[in-house]
Amino acid sequence: MSIRHGLLALLEGGPRYGSRLRTEFETRTGGTWPLNIGQVYTTLGRLERDGMVAQNGEDEGGRTLYTLTEAGRAELRGWFGRPVERESPPRDELAIKLALAVTAPGVDVREVVETQRRHASQALHEHVRQRAQALADSPGHPDELARLLVLEQLICHAEAEIRWLDHCEARLLRLTVTERAEE
C-alpha cells in the first residue's frame, strides 16, 4: 500500500496537518488500513525532502499544515495513471502455511483448510453486513463511495480465498484417493 500516494491524494484537497491526514485516510478506506501517526509524519518528512509537499504555516491549534507542491501533483497524476503492478505477488501467509502443512508430520491439512474457511466465511459475512449498512446510510457521498469500494474489494478477496480453499480441499481429496488406490 502506498501511504505516500495516499497522503498526496488527500493533500490535493488542500492543506492539512498530520493527524487530520491520518483520520481522513482511515475514513476513506473504511478503517481497513489503520495508520500509525508516526508513519504519517515520517512519510510527510520524506515527501517534503523530495519536494512533493511543503510546510504551509500552522492552523489555529498550532499544528503544522502541509500542502501539495507542483512536483507532488505531477507524482499524484502519474500514480493515478499507472496500473498497479502484480508481477511479484506479496507473500501470502496462508499459501505459505498450506504449502508447509502438506509436508509437516502430524498436521491435518484438511483441518487447516477448514479452520481458514470458517474464518474467511465469518469475514465475508461481516464485510457484507458493513456494505449493507453503508448502502443504507448514504452511498451518494464521496467518502461513503470510497468506503463501499474498499468493502467490495474485501468481499471479493474473501470470496476468492474461499474458492481457493475449496480448490485446495478438492486437490487434497484427489491426492488422498490416488494414494489409497496405489496402496
Side-chain angles (χ1 to χ4, degrees):
M1 172 183 64
S2 177
I3 296 170
R4 168 186 174 102
H5 291 104
L7 296 181
L8 290 174
L10 292 170
L11 287 169
E12 181 72 29
R16 304 223 180 354
Y17 52 90
S19 60
R20 180 170 175 200
L21 287 166
R22 175 181 171 228
T23 300
E24 285 187 29
F25 183 90
E26 290 177 357
T27 298
R28 292 196 191 176
T29 60
T32 305
W33 298 290
L35 291 180
N36 177 302
I37 194 65
Q39 288 176 291
V40 172
Y41 282 107
T42 298
T43 303
L44 285 170
R46 289 183 185 135
L47 288 168
E48 187 176 17
R49 176 199 67 202
D50 296 343
M52 309 251 180
V53 302
Q55 291 186 23
N56 188 20
E58 295 180 346
D59 71 354
E60 57 281 347
R63 295 171 290 222
T64 302
L65 293 170
Y66 293 86
T67 189
L68 197 58
T69 65
E70 282 307 312
R73 280 186 184 78
E75 175 66 20
L76 184 59
R77 283 191 303 273
W79 181 62
F80 281 131
R82 290 187 301 273
V84 174
E85 293 294 329
R86 304 280 190 206
E87 292 174 8
S88 176
R91 287 188 193 123
D92 184 307
E93 184 178 352
L94 177 57
I96 293 167
K97 180 189 274 189
L98 289 179
L100 295 173
V102 169
T103 58
V107 175
D108 182 347
V109 182
R110 280 189 225 115
E111 183 57 35
V112 174
V113 168
E114 186 52 37
T115 298
Q116 188 65 34
R117 184 184 359 259
R118 279 191 305 273
H119 174 74
S121 293
Q122 289 169 348
L124 175 60
H125 291 300
E126 179 60 21
H127 299 320
V128 168
R129 186 194 65 71
Q130 289 176 3
R131 178 183 62 185
Q133 183 62 50
L135 285 168
D137 289 345
S138 170
H141 190 275
D143 285 348
E144 282 302 311
L145 176 58
R147 183 168 181 256
L148 279 170
L149 293 175
V150 171
L151 285 169
E152 288 167 346
Q153 189 254 5
L154 292 171
I155 289 167
C156 289
H157 276 264
E159 290 171 338
E161 182 173 302
I162 292 166
R163 281 194 314 272
W164 181 69
L165 289 166
D166 291 344
H167 173 78
C168 291
E169 185 176 56
R171 171 90 51 210
L172 289 166
L173 183 60
R174 282 193 301 272
L175 289 173
T176 304
V177 169
T178 303
E179 287 173 357
R180 287 184 186 154
E182 291 175 357
E183 291 176 355

